[in-house]
Amino acid sequence: MKITYKGDYSLKAILDLALHYNKGVLPIQELAKKGDIPFKFLEQILLTLKKGGFVDSKRGVDGGYFLARPPETITVGEVVRFIEGPIEPVACANKDSYEKCKDFPYCVFKDIWSHVYTATSLVVDTVTFAELVRRVEALKNSNIETPYYI
Amino acid sequence: MKITYKGDYSLKAILDLALHYNKGVLPIQELAKKGDIPFKFLEQILLTLKKGGFVDSKRGVDGGYFLARPPETITVGEVVRFIEGPIEPVACANKDSYEKCKDFPYCVFKDIWSHVYTATSLVVDTVTFAELVRRVEALKNSNIETPYYI
DNA sequence: TATAATCTATACCAAGTTAATAGAGATTAT
DNA sequence: ATAATCTCTATTAACTTGGTATAGATTATA
Protein backbone atom coordinates (compact mmCIF):
# COMPACT_ATOMS: atom_id res chain seq x y z
CA MET A 1 0.00 0.00 0.00
CA LYS A 2 1.31 3.40 -0.97
CA ILE A 3 -0.55 6.62 -0.25
CA THR A 4 -0.26 9.26 -2.97
CA TYR A 5 -1.24 12.90 -2.68
CA LYS A 6 -4.61 12.01 -4.15
CA GLY A 7 -5.23 9.54 -1.33
CA ASP A 8 -3.90 11.89 1.29
CA TYR A 9 -6.13 14.73 0.05
CA SER A 10 -9.14 12.40 -0.10
CA LEU A 11 -8.71 11.33 3.51
CA LYS A 12 -8.21 14.91 4.70
CA ALA A 13 -11.30 16.12 2.84
CA ILE A 14 -13.46 13.32 4.15
CA LEU A 15 -12.23 13.94 7.69
CA ASP A 16 -13.12 17.63 7.37
CA LEU A 17 -16.57 16.69 6.10
CA ALA A 18 -16.93 14.19 8.95
CA LEU A 19 -16.05 16.94 11.43
CA HIS A 20 -18.90 18.91 9.85
CA TYR A 21 -21.36 16.03 9.60
CA ASN A 22 -25.02 17.11 9.81
CA LYS A 23 -23.96 20.74 9.89
CA GLY A 24 -24.60 21.68 6.27
CA VAL A 25 -22.25 21.85 3.33
CA LEU A 26 -18.64 22.90 2.99
CA PRO A 27 -17.54 24.53 -0.29
CA ILE A 28 -14.50 23.13 -2.10
CA GLN A 29 -12.70 26.43 -1.54
CA GLU A 30 -12.88 25.98 2.19
CA LEU A 31 -11.84 22.33 2.11
CA ALA A 32 -8.93 23.24 -0.16
CA LYS A 33 -7.83 26.03 2.13
CA LYS A 34 -8.12 23.92 5.28
CA GLY A 35 -6.20 21.02 3.82
CA ASP A 36 -3.69 23.09 1.86
CA ILE A 37 -4.86 21.30 -1.29
CA PRO A 38 -4.76 22.73 -4.86
CA PHE A 39 -8.33 23.81 -5.56
CA LYS A 40 -8.73 22.34 -9.06
CA PHE A 41 -7.15 19.08 -8.00
CA LEU A 42 -9.53 18.79 -5.06
CA GLU A 43 -12.46 19.45 -7.40
CA GLN A 44 -11.57 16.34 -9.36
CA ILE A 45 -11.04 14.28 -6.24
CA LEU A 46 -14.38 15.26 -4.75
CA LEU A 47 -16.14 14.37 -7.99
CA THR A 48 -14.53 10.95 -7.81
CA LEU A 49 -15.51 10.55 -4.17
CA LYS A 50 -19.05 11.54 -5.08
CA LYS A 51 -19.21 8.84 -7.76
CA GLY A 52 -17.94 6.46 -5.08
CA GLY A 53 -20.84 7.36 -2.83
CA PHE A 54 -18.68 8.81 -0.05
CA VAL A 55 -19.79 12.39 -0.42
CA ASP A 56 -22.64 14.33 -2.00
CA SER A 57 -23.00 17.91 -3.11
CA LYS A 58 -25.30 20.83 -3.53
CA ARG A 59 -24.77 23.17 -6.47
CA GLY A 60 -25.11 26.89 -6.87
CA VAL A 61 -24.73 29.72 -4.41
CA ASP A 62 -24.29 28.39 -0.87
CA GLY A 63 -23.51 25.02 -2.40
CA GLY A 64 -20.78 22.69 -1.29
CA TYR A 65 -20.03 19.14 -0.29
CA PHE A 66 -21.23 17.00 2.58
CA LEU A 67 -20.65 13.45 3.76
CA ALA A 68 -23.09 11.05 2.11
CA ARG A 69 -22.81 8.39 4.81
CA PRO A 70 -22.45 8.47 8.60
CA PRO A 71 -18.80 8.71 9.74
CA GLU A 72 -19.16 5.46 11.69
CA THR A 73 -19.71 3.57 8.44
CA ILE A 74 -16.67 4.81 6.53
CA THR A 75 -13.26 3.30 7.21
CA VAL A 76 -9.86 4.56 6.15
CA GLY A 77 -9.35 1.28 4.31
CA GLU A 78 -12.47 1.74 2.22
CA VAL A 79 -11.37 5.18 1.05
CA VAL A 80 -7.81 4.05 0.37
CA ARG A 81 -8.96 1.04 -1.66
CA PHE A 82 -11.35 3.21 -3.67
CA ILE A 83 -8.80 5.91 -4.45
CA GLU A 84 -5.51 4.02 -4.56
CA GLY A 85 -6.60 0.55 -5.56
CA PRO A 86 -5.77 -2.73 -3.82
CA ILE A 87 -3.70 -2.39 -0.67
CA GLU A 88 -1.75 -5.65 -1.03
CA PRO A 89 1.94 -5.33 -2.00
CA VAL A 90 1.51 -7.69 -4.95
CA ALA A 91 -1.59 -9.01 -6.69
CA CYS A 92 -0.98 -12.59 -5.55
CA ALA A 93 -1.45 -11.61 -1.90
CA ASN A 94 -5.15 -11.49 -2.61
CA LYS A 95 -6.79 -14.90 -2.63
CA ASP A 96 -8.80 -13.96 -5.72
CA SER A 97 -5.60 -13.45 -7.69
CA TYR A 98 -3.87 -16.63 -6.62
CA GLU A 99 -4.59 -18.57 -9.75
CA LYS A 100 -3.17 -15.84 -11.98
CA CYS A 101 0.38 -16.60 -10.86
CA LYS A 102 1.84 -19.73 -12.37
CA ASP A 103 4.16 -20.12 -9.40
CA PHE A 104 1.29 -20.09 -6.93
CA PRO A 105 1.44 -23.63 -5.53
CA TYR A 106 5.12 -23.56 -4.64
CA CYS A 107 5.97 -19.87 -4.22
CA VAL A 108 7.50 -19.23 -0.80
CA PHE A 109 6.94 -15.47 -1.05
CA LYS A 110 3.15 -15.49 -1.23
CA ASP A 111 2.77 -16.16 2.50
CA ILE A 112 4.88 -13.09 3.22
CA TRP A 113 2.71 -10.87 1.03
CA SER A 114 -0.41 -12.39 2.55
CA HIS A 115 0.78 -11.61 6.05
CA VAL A 116 1.59 -8.04 5.07
CA TYR A 117 -1.83 -7.71 3.51
CA THR A 118 -3.62 -9.11 6.57
CA ALA A 119 -1.71 -6.90 8.98
CA THR A 120 -2.32 -3.82 6.88
CA SER A 121 -6.02 -4.53 6.50
CA LEU A 122 -6.35 -5.02 10.22
CA VAL A 123 -5.17 -1.46 10.72
CA VAL A 124 -6.92 0.47 7.98
CA ASP A 125 -10.22 -1.42 7.96
CA THR A 126 -10.86 -0.97 11.67
CA VAL A 127 -10.47 2.79 11.85
CA THR A 128 -13.66 4.69 11.05
CA PHE A 129 -13.99 8.40 10.46
CA ALA A 130 -16.13 8.59 13.58
CA GLU A 131 -13.09 7.40 15.51
CA LEU A 132 -10.88 9.94 13.74
CA VAL A 133 -13.35 12.67 14.65
CA ARG A 134 -13.10 11.58 18.30
CA ARG A 135 -9.32 11.75 18.08
CA VAL A 136 -9.45 15.24 16.63
CA GLU A 137 -11.82 16.31 19.39
CA ALA A 138 -9.47 14.82 21.96
CA LEU A 139 -6.61 16.83 20.44
CA LYS A 140 -8.71 19.98 20.58
CA ASN A 141 -9.34 19.43 24.28
CA SER A 142 -5.71 18.68 24.99
CA ASN A 143 -3.02 21.24 25.61
CA ILE A 144 -1.38 20.50 22.27
CA GLU A 145 -1.29 23.56 20.13
CA THR A 146 -3.54 23.09 17.13
CA PRO A 147 -3.94 25.43 14.18
CA TYR A 148 -6.99 27.57 14.44
CA TYR A 149 -8.86 25.82 11.68
CA ILE A 150 -9.48 22.51 13.40
CA MET B 1 4.95 -1.06 0.27
CA LYS B 2 4.45 -2.08 -3.30
CA ILE B 3 6.48 -4.80 -4.96
CA THR B 4 7.33 -4.14 -8.61
CA TYR B 5 8.68 -6.64 -11.11
CA LYS B 6 12.17 -5.45 -10.28
CA GLY B 7 11.65 -6.32 -6.64
CA ASP B 8 9.99 -9.60 -7.45
CA TYR B 9 12.85 -10.59 -9.79
CA SER B 10 15.43 -9.53 -7.19
CA LEU B 11 13.89 -11.72 -4.51
CA LYS B 12 13.58 -14.69 -6.85
CA ALA B 13 17.18 -14.37 -8.01
CA ILE B 14 18.51 -14.07 -4.47
CA LEU B 15 16.47 -17.07 -3.39
CA ASP B 16 17.90 -19.11 -6.26
CA LEU B 17 21.40 -18.04 -5.28
CA ALA B 18 20.64 -18.89 -1.66
CA LEU B 19 19.51 -22.36 -2.73
CA HIS B 20 22.90 -22.69 -4.41
CA TYR B 21 24.92 -21.12 -1.58
CA ASN B 22 28.51 -22.46 -1.35
CA LYS B 23 27.99 -24.50 -4.49
CA GLY B 24 29.71 -22.27 -7.04
CA VAL B 25 28.30 -19.70 -9.39
CA LEU B 26 25.08 -19.51 -11.38
CA PRO B 27 25.15 -17.69 -14.74
CA ILE B 28 22.54 -15.01 -15.41
CA GLN B 29 21.14 -17.13 -18.22
CA GLU B 30 20.24 -19.87 -15.79
CA LEU B 31 18.76 -17.52 -13.20
CA ALA B 32 16.73 -15.84 -15.92
CA LYS B 33 15.43 -19.14 -17.23
CA LYS B 34 14.56 -20.45 -13.75
CA GLY B 35 12.74 -17.31 -12.75
CA ASP B 36 11.17 -16.59 -16.13
CA ILE B 37 12.89 -13.21 -16.08
CA PRO B 38 13.97 -11.19 -19.17
CA PHE B 39 17.71 -11.79 -19.46
CA LYS B 40 18.84 -8.20 -20.09
CA PHE B 41 16.61 -6.90 -17.32
CA LEU B 42 18.04 -9.41 -14.86
CA GLU B 43 21.56 -8.37 -15.89
CA GLN B 44 20.82 -4.83 -14.69
CA ILE B 45 19.18 -6.01 -11.51
CA LEU B 46 22.08 -8.25 -10.57
CA LEU B 47 24.53 -5.39 -11.14
CA THR B 48 22.46 -3.30 -8.75
CA LEU B 49 22.34 -6.11 -6.20
CA LYS B 50 26.10 -6.46 -6.54
CA LYS B 51 26.60 -2.78 -5.78
CA GLY B 52 24.37 -3.33 -2.75
CA GLY B 53 26.63 -6.09 -1.51
CA PHE B 54 24.03 -8.82 -1.74
CA VAL B 55 25.68 -10.80 -4.52
CA ASP B 56 29.07 -11.07 -6.14
CA SER B 57 30.21 -12.35 -9.50
CA LYS B 58 32.93 -14.07 -11.46
CA ARG B 59 33.53 -13.01 -15.05
CA GLY B 60 34.52 -14.93 -18.14
CA VAL B 61 33.88 -18.51 -19.14
CA ASP B 62 32.30 -20.47 -16.31
CA GLY B 63 31.49 -17.17 -14.67
CA GLY B 64 28.28 -16.29 -12.92
CA TYR B 65 26.78 -14.91 -9.76
CA PHE B 66 26.86 -16.09 -6.19
CA LEU B 67 25.50 -14.86 -2.88
CA ALA B 68 27.94 -12.49 -1.20
CA ARG B 69 26.57 -13.03 2.33
CA PRO B 70 25.22 -16.05 4.21
CA PRO B 71 21.45 -16.58 3.64
CA GLU B 72 20.83 -16.26 7.39
CA THR B 73 21.99 -12.64 7.30
CA ILE B 74 19.76 -11.44 4.45
CA THR B 75 16.13 -10.60 5.12
CA VAL B 76 13.35 -10.01 2.62
CA GLY B 77 12.91 -6.55 4.09
CA GLU B 78 16.51 -5.59 3.45
CA VAL B 79 16.26 -6.52 -0.21
CA VAL B 80 12.89 -4.82 -0.63
CA ARG B 81 14.12 -1.61 0.99
CA PHE B 82 17.24 -1.62 -1.18
CA ILE B 83 15.39 -2.21 -4.45
CA GLU B 84 12.02 -0.55 -3.88
CA GLY B 85 12.87 2.12 -1.35
CA PRO B 86 11.13 2.81 1.98
CA ILE B 87 8.35 0.39 2.85
CA GLU B 88 6.14 2.84 4.74
CA PRO B 89 2.91 3.94 3.00
CA VAL B 90 3.78 7.64 3.39
CA ALA B 91 7.00 9.38 4.34
CA CYS B 92 5.61 10.65 7.64
CA ALA B 93 5.21 7.08 8.94
CA ASN B 94 8.95 7.09 9.48
CA LYS B 95 10.02 8.89 12.64
CA ASP B 96 12.91 10.50 10.77
CA SER B 97 10.47 12.23 8.44
CA TYR B 98 8.07 13.47 11.07
CA GLU B 99 9.30 17.02 11.12
CA LYS B 100 8.94 17.38 7.36
CA CYS B 101 5.15 17.43 7.63
CA LYS B 102 3.73 20.67 8.91
CA ASP B 103 0.64 18.83 10.18
CA PHE B 104 2.71 16.46 12.28
CA PRO B 105 1.71 17.44 15.81
CA TYR B 106 -2.03 17.19 15.25
CA CYS B 107 -2.42 14.82 12.29
CA VAL B 108 -4.68 11.92 13.21
CA PHE B 109 -3.54 9.82 10.25
CA LYS B 110 0.10 9.46 11.16
CA ASP B 111 -0.63 6.81 13.80
CA ILE B 112 -2.38 4.74 11.19
CA TRP B 113 0.58 4.86 8.82
CA SER B 114 2.94 4.12 11.69
CA HIS B 115 0.97 1.04 12.65
CA VAL B 116 0.95 -0.16 9.04
CA TYR B 117 4.69 0.42 8.87
CA THR B 118 5.38 -1.45 12.10
CA ALA B 119 3.22 -4.39 11.11
CA THR B 120 4.78 -4.61 7.67
CA SER B 121 8.32 -4.41 9.03
CA LEU B 122 7.58 -7.14 11.52
CA VAL B 123 6.80 -9.46 8.64
CA VAL B 124 9.48 -8.66 6.08
CA ASP B 125 12.37 -7.98 8.48
CA THR B 126 12.04 -11.29 10.29
CA VAL B 127 12.13 -13.60 7.28
CA THR B 128 15.66 -14.53 6.20
CA PHE B 129 16.64 -16.27 2.99
CA ALA B 130 17.85 -19.18 5.10
CA GLU B 131 14.27 -19.57 6.29
CA LEU B 132 12.99 -19.36 2.72
CA VAL B 133 15.47 -22.04 1.69
CA ARG B 134 14.09 -24.26 4.46
CA ARG B 135 10.57 -23.65 3.20
CA VAL B 136 11.58 -24.57 -0.34
CA GLU B 137 13.23 -27.75 0.95
CA ALA B 138 10.08 -28.58 2.88
CA LEU B 139 8.03 -28.13 -0.28
CA LYS B 140 10.44 -30.39 -2.16
CA ASN B 141 9.94 -33.11 0.43
CA SER B 142 6.18 -32.71 0.42
CA ASN B 143 3.82 -34.30 -2.02
CA ILE B 144 3.09 -30.97 -3.66
CA GLU B 145 3.99 -31.03 -7.29
CA THR B 146 6.88 -28.69 -7.89
CA PRO B 147 8.37 -27.72 -11.23
CA TYR B 148 11.56 -29.62 -12.00
CA TYR B 149 13.80 -26.63 -11.57
CA ILE B 150 13.46 -26.21 -7.83
C1' DT C 1 -33.99 38.50 -14.36
C1' DA C 2 -29.07 39.31 -13.85
C1' DT C 3 -25.29 37.91 -11.38
C1' DA C 4 -22.09 35.67 -8.68
C1' DA C 5 -20.99 31.58 -6.31
C1' DT C 6 -20.66 27.10 -6.69
C1' DC C 7 -20.36 22.33 -8.64
C1' DT C 8 -19.63 19.38 -13.30
C1' DA C 9 -17.10 17.57 -17.02
C1' DT C 10 -13.53 16.89 -19.98
C1' DA C 11 -9.20 17.84 -21.98
C1' DC C 12 -4.49 18.62 -21.50
C1' DC C 13 0.31 18.44 -19.83
C1' DA C 14 5.11 17.94 -17.65
C1' DA C 15 7.78 15.05 -15.00
C1' DG C 16 8.81 10.78 -13.21
C1' DT C 17 8.52 5.60 -12.98
C1' DT C 18 8.35 1.01 -14.81
C1' DA C 19 9.79 -2.64 -17.50
C1' DA C 20 12.16 -3.51 -20.40
C1' DT C 21 15.65 -3.63 -25.05
C1' DA C 22 20.12 -2.62 -27.41
C1' DG C 23 24.83 -2.52 -28.15
C1' DA C 24 29.57 -2.04 -27.27
C1' DG C 25 33.11 -3.42 -24.23
C1' DA C 26 35.98 -6.16 -20.58
C1' DT C 27 37.37 -10.59 -18.59
C1' DT C 28 38.64 -15.37 -18.49
C1' DA C 29 38.78 -20.69 -19.26
C1' DT C 30 40.01 -23.58 -22.71
C1' DA D 1 41.94 -17.22 -30.75
C1' DT D 2 37.44 -17.86 -29.30
C1' DA D 3 33.36 -18.30 -26.94
C1' DA D 4 31.08 -17.59 -22.68
C1' DT D 5 30.28 -14.59 -19.46
C1' DC D 6 29.79 -10.20 -16.80
C1' DT D 7 29.86 -4.65 -17.24
C1' DC D 8 28.15 -0.32 -18.44
C1' DT D 9 25.45 3.13 -20.58
C1' DA D 10 21.84 4.66 -23.62
C1' DT D 11 17.28 4.40 -25.25
C1' DT D 12 12.33 3.72 -25.27
C1' DA D 13 7.19 2.88 -24.92
C1' DA D 14 3.64 2.84 -21.79
C1' DC D 15 1.88 4.30 -17.66
C1' DT D 16 1.26 7.12 -13.33
C1' DT D 17 1.33 11.28 -10.70
C1' DG D 18 0.08 15.76 -9.66
C1' DG D 19 -1.53 18.87 -11.28
C1' DT D 20 -3.76 23.11 -14.76
C1' DA D 21 -7.28 24.94 -18.15
C1' DT D 22 -11.58 25.84 -20.07
C1' DA D 23 -16.27 25.72 -20.82
C1' DG D 24 -20.60 24.70 -18.96
C1' DA D 25 -24.67 23.81 -15.56
C1' DT D 26 -27.11 25.04 -11.33
C1' DT D 27 -28.99 27.97 -7.81
C1' DA D 28 -29.65 31.74 -4.07
C1' DT D 29 -30.58 36.27 -3.88
C1' DA D 30 -30.69 41.24 -4.94
Side-chain angles (χ1 to χ4, degrees):
Chain A
M1 182 180 60
K2 191 183 148 228
I3 306 299
T4 65
Y5 274 94
K6 193 175 174 188
D8 182 46
Y9 294 161
S10 299
L11 293 168
K12 278 186 184 169
I14 290 184
L15 177 56
D16 274 336
L17 294 176
L19 284 162
H20 208 250
Y21 188 59
N22 276 339
K23 292 178 193 161
V25 303
L26 287 176
I28 305 178
Q29 280 290 6
E30 200 173 328
L31 290 166
K33 202 175 168 190
K34 279 188 183 183
D36 198 22
I37 304 169
F39 173 72
K40 296 299 285 179
F41 196 19
L42 185 55
E43 265 189 340
Q44 284 182 51
I45 292 170
L46 286 169
L47 275 179
T48 303
L49 290 173
K50 184 179 177 180
K51 283 175 191 153
F54 295 96
V55 302
D56 205 347
S57 62
K58 178 170 175 286
R59 286 165 79 148
V61 174
D62 291 333
Y65 276 88
F66 56 96
L67 214 56
R69 295 159 40 191
E72 303 86 41
T73 69
I74 307 177
T75 65
V76 169
E78 192 185 356
V79 176
V80 170
R81 286 166 206 268
F82 179 72
I83 291 293
E84 309 277 16
I87 66 174
E88 50 263 29
V90 287
C92 70
N94 185 315
K95 285 192 202 305
D96 299 337
S97 305
Y98 273 3
E99 65 276 5
K100 286 182 190 163
C101 179
K102 70 172 186 50
D103 297 335
F104 165 61
Y106 49 86
C107 172
V108 292
F109 292 108
K110 73 170 196 294
D111 281 348
I112 298 175
W113 311 138
S114 280
H115 285 143
V116 168
Y117 171 68
T118 303
T120 303
S121 300
L122 187 63
V123 176
V124 297
D125 292 338
T126 55
V127 180
T128 67
F129 278 85
E131 169 61 21
L132 292 178
V133 165
R134 283 191 288 275
R135 293 185 192 174
V136 170
E137 301 295 340
L139 277 176
K140 272 202 225 174
N141 297 332
S142 76
N143 53 0
I144 290 181
E145 197 172 323
T146 55
Y148 95 99
Y149 70 74
I150 283 191
Chain B
M1 182 180 59
K2 190 181 149 231
I3 305 300
T4 65
Y5 274 94
K6 193 175 174 187
D8 182 45
Y9 295 161
S10 298
L11 294 168
K12 278 186 185 170
I14 289 183
L15 177 56
D16 274 335
L17 293 175
L19 284 162
H20 207 251
Y21 187 60
N22 277 338
K23 291 179 192 162
V25 303
L26 287 176
I28 304 179
Q29 280 290 4
E30 199 173 328
L31 289 167
K33 202 174 166 190
K34 280 188 183 183
D36 199 22
I37 303 169
F39 173 71
K40 296 298 284 179
F41 195 19
L42 185 54
E43 265 188 341
Q44 284 182 52
I45 292 170
L46 286 168
L47 274 179
T48 303
L49 290 172
K50 183 177 176 180
K51 283 174 191 154
F54 295 96
V55 303
D56 205 347
S57 61
K58 179 170 176 285
R59 287 164 80 145
V61 175
D62 292 333
Y65 275 88
F66 55 96
L67 214 56
R69 294 159 42 190
E72 303 86 43
T73 69
I74 308 177
T75 65
V76 169
E78 191 185 356
V79 176
V80 169
R81 285 167 206 268
F82 179 72
I83 292 293
E84 309 277 15
I87 67 174
E88 49 265 29
V90 287
C92 69
N94 185 317
K95 285 192 204 304
D96 300 337
S97 304
Y98 272 3
E99 65 275 5
K100 286 182 191 164
C101 178
K102 69 172 186 52
D103 296 335
F104 165 61
Y106 49 86
C107 172
V108 291
F109 292 108
K110 71 171 197 293
D111 282 347
I112 298 175
W113 311 139
S114 279
H115 285 143
V116 168
Y117 172 69
T118 304
T120 302
S121 300
L122 188 63
V123 176
V124 298
D125 291 339
T126 55
V127 180
T128 67
F129 278 86
E131 169 61 21
L132 291 178
V133 165
R134 283 190 289 276
R135 292 184 194 175
V136 170
E137 301 295 341
L139 277 176
K140 272 202 227 175
N141 297 331
S142 76
N143 54 0
I144 289 181
E145 197 172 324
T146 56
Y148 96 97
Y149 71 73
I150 282 189

